[in-house]
Amino acid sequence: FMLSNKEIVCPNNLLDVAATTIVTNKDRQNGRVYGWDNEYGFKYDEVPAFRASKYLVSNAEYLDFVEDGGYLDSQWWSEEGWTWVQYANAQHPKYWILDSDGRWQQRQLAEVTSLPWSWPVVTNQLEAKAFCNWKTSKLGKPIRLLSEDEWITLLS
């Protein structure tokens, strides 16, 4: 679709991912392999078939949630998420800034730039889960965050 700044953003379709088996075996004795404590050891898991979005959720896709009042409606949020929204007075992702001209900007490491609509949105897990709940209601089909095993499947 087309945004006011004329940037074209591709639609984010769901793709089928085949069932698979994942095997990980990270050995503590191998000093060349870095990992967190919970990442060591042998793991064997069957991952059932699932669907995943073709692209990471873009700023443009997430803007629909923001503009539809996603941060004002507790129905999309878990109890923890809604508590966070109220505590943080969150109205949009942390790094988004609405300037005095009504244009969305993004705070980068060393500067503020126009919000890049095609870039993946940066949110926390609570925001991502609320977005999935909202998107489920809009599409009429279940949208959820991937499990760790599903991420491993996509990355291998």
Side-chain angles (χ1 to χ4, degrees):
F1 58 90
M2 195 76 75
L3 295 168
S4 59
N5 65 355
K6 306 293 189 244
E7 184 176 350
I8 297 175
V9 179
C10 299
N12 202 355
N13 300 316
L14 293 175
L15 304 176
D16 293 321
V17 180
T20 191
T21 301
I22 60 166
V23 178
T24 55
N25 189 16
K26 192 177 284 190
D27 184 358
R28 290 182 183 274
Q29 305 310 313
N30 184 346
R32 297 179 305 142
V33 179
Y34 174 82
W36 299 105
D37 289 349
N38 65 334
E39 296 175 322
Y40 287 97
F42 179 79
K43 181 179 178 181
Y44 174 93
D45 276 319
E46 298 290 333
V47 180
F50 62 97
R51 300 188 82 200
S53 58
K54 183 174 183 178
Y55 306 109
L56 297 174
V57 174
S58 69
N59 286 319
E61 193 173 2
Y62 198 85
L63 178 65
D64 292 339
F65 173 63
V66 172
E67 289 182 339
D68 198 34
Y71 284 79
L72 304 173
D73 193 340
S74 64
Q75 73 174 315
W76 310 124
W77 299 83
S78 65
E79 182 178 340
E80 179 186 11
W82 190 242
T83 299
W84 172 81
V85 166
Q86 294 172 313
Y87 170 78
N89 194 27
Q91 299 171 16
H92 50 73
K94 181 177 184 172
Y95 300 105
W96 289 18
I97 301 166
L98 191 58
D99 72 14
S100 59
D101 294 327
R103 293 178 304 210
W104 286 105
Q105 306 286 311
Q106 182 165 301
R107 187 173 59 242
Q108 310 292 350
L109 184 61
E111 65 183 331
V112 173
T113 63
S114 294
L115 186 63
W117 295 111
S118 62
W119 286 16
V121 67
V122 177
T123 66
N124 63 41
Q125 186 271 343
L126 300 170
E127 292 168 297
K129 175 70 173 120
F131 172 81
C132 288
N133 293 340
W134 172 83
K135 194 74 168 180
T136 292
S137 76
K138 296 299 175 189
L139 296 178
K141 56 185 164 187
I143 303 294
R144 62 175 175 79
L145 299 174
L146 295 176
S147 70
E148 181 179 7
D149 288 346
E150 289 168 338
W151 269 112
I152 290 169
T153 298
L154 291 177
L155 297 174
S156 41

